[in-house]
Amino acid sequence: QVSPGLRTPRLPVWLCSVSGRHSVLFGTDSRLLSDWKSERVFHLYFYSGQQEQTQTAHLTIDTHSHHWEEAEREDPCRPGKRRPALEMAIRTKWAGATVSWNGTDPFF
């Protein structure tokens, strides 16, 4: 029998397969599970266990940002507008959200 803690987690946890690699994306705020208002600006942590990742990535997700604000921060000379696969995976849950890597170089 499955433990109730596994059926109903106390903290948000997502097992991911990004670019063919397994990883975990998790939050430390239990309100993300029950209060949609807490989904405005929140923090998630990402760990892949891959050798190139030396520490857990701390991400800030803003679901109410505007696409033109994000465009101002981008380098206008940068060819294309490719996003890391992890950001695209996050946007499957929170469409249009901006993801700040908080000083970590984006990977994946």
Side-chain angles (χ1 to χ4, degrees):
Q1 184 176 18
V2 177
S3 163
L6 292 175
R7 289 189 306 240
T8 309
R10 293 194 174 126
L11 295 172
V13 176
W14 294 272
L15 299 177
C16 308
S17 177
V18 180
S19 299
R21 295 182 176 177
H22 293 81
S23 53
V24 64
L25 184 66
F26 62 95
T28 57
D29 185 355
S30 62
R31 292 178 303 159
L32 279 174
L33 295 171
S34 59
D35 183 9
W36 62 269
K37 292 179 218 157
S38 65
E39 292 185 3
R40 173 154 177 16
V41 176
F42 55 95
H43 303 278
L44 294 177
Y45 300 89
F46 179 75
Y47 184 71
S48 68
Q50 300 297 318
Q51 186 175 12
E52 62 269 11
Q53 185 180 4
T54 58
Q55 61 185 15
T56 302
H58 172 209
L59 310 172
T60 301
I61 315 300
D62 184 349
T63 60
H64 285 69
S65 62
H66 301 95
H67 62 86
W68 57 84
E69 292 172 346
E70 184 179 16
E72 290 176 4
R73 293 190 300 258
E74 289 183 2
D75 180 1
C77 300
R78 185 176 157 206
K81 293 189 178 192
R82 295 193 59 180
R83 298 276 180 229
L86 177 60
E87 286 186 28
M88 300 311 290
I90 289 170
R91 288 184 179 134
T92 63
K93 170 103 173 113
W94 296 283
T98 58
V99 179
S100 170
W101 288 75
N102 298 312
T104 302
D105 288 331
F107 49 90
F108 275 97

